[in-house]
Amino acid sequence: TATRMAGRGHREGTLPFRVFTVAREAGLVRARAGLELKADFGLADHPAADVLVVPGGVVTAELQRAEVIRWLEARSREATITASVCTGAFLLAKAGLLEGKVATTHWEDVADLRAQFPSVTVREGVRWVDEGRVVTSAGISAGIDMSLHLVERLAGRELALATARQMDVVWTEPT
């Protein structure tokens, strides 16, 4: 939506974001509740990403996949920002990206994140935490708030506000 809003009256080459999805392999991926998504690329054949967003959900299996954790660690070194939504924070922590940092996750998972990764200072009751190169958010709607924050960081407040308005979202900013 931010790219569409930025594109109004601009040439294609000046658009701020190009979104694509990555999974272990390109193709259909079954997500939570049976939703099928089509990954544009696999771990070995994707373009560079300036902003890497790691979704949450049930991440138990992914936490055990060493190739996914290694990929996440390597790609985050190349990205300007690595962000997570909800329990995606567990994947960032497992990859060592939250070591000594402040982070957040969904309220139901705060205690588990603290227990599993004691070197992470886990904050609860916040929508997102911005640690510069790493940004984490709480649940799904908090991920939208964090995404608008990232749009503001990368492309300006005016575009973030226009994007929120277009999405009919009341943007909850930190106080």
Side-chain angles (χ1 to χ4, degrees):
T1 302
T3 295
R4 185 164 45 88
M5 296 309 296
R8 291 184 173 178
H10 294 84
R11 292 192 342 248
E12 184 72 22
T14 64
L15 300 178
F17 305 104
R18 177 178 160 246
V19 177
F20 58 89
T21 54
V22 177
R24 283 193 319 265
E25 296 178 11
L28 290 180
V29 176
R30 187 168 305 277
R32 197 171 200 175
L35 176 68
E36 286 187 337
L37 305 169
K38 184 174 181 273
D40 298 311
F41 301 98
L43 295 180
D45 68 346
H46 60 83
D50 294 327
V51 178
L52 180 61
V53 179
V54 178
V58 179
V59 297
T60 309
E62 297 306 317
L63 285 168
Q64 302 310 311
R65 291 190 169 97
E67 75 276 14
V68 171
I69 301 305
R70 283 192 305 269
W71 176 87
L72 183 55
E73 181 183 17
R75 296 300 72 78
S76 69
R77 284 194 301 267
E78 299 167 358
T80 303
I81 297 170
T82 300
S84 67
V85 177
C86 193
T87 55
F90 285 78
L91 294 166
L92 269 56
K94 180 81 174 196
L97 305 178
L98 300 180
E99 189 79 26
K101 295 192 180 323
V102 178
T104 195
T105 190
H106 189 277
W107 61 268
E108 280 186 319
D109 302 293
V110 165
D112 286 341
L113 188 61
R114 282 183 180 138
Q116 291 178 40
F117 302 98
S119 68
V120 179
T121 301
V122 183
R123 289 186 59 201
E124 55 187 310
V126 295
R127 306 289 287 164
W128 75 87
V129 174
D130 187 331
E131 283 275 6
R133 289 182 48 93
V134 178
V135 183
T136 56
S137 72
I140 296 167
S141 67
I144 294 170
D145 289 340
M146 176 195 70
S147 296
L148 290 166
H149 168 71
L150 294 176
V151 170
E152 179 179 34
R153 259 187 70 180
L154 297 166
R157 184 162 183 80
E158 183 177 325
L159 181 58
L161 291 170
T163 301
R165 180 169 169 72
Q166 178 64 28
M167 292 171 32
D168 203 12
V169 168
V170 177
W171 182 13
T172 305
E173 300 181 72
T175 54

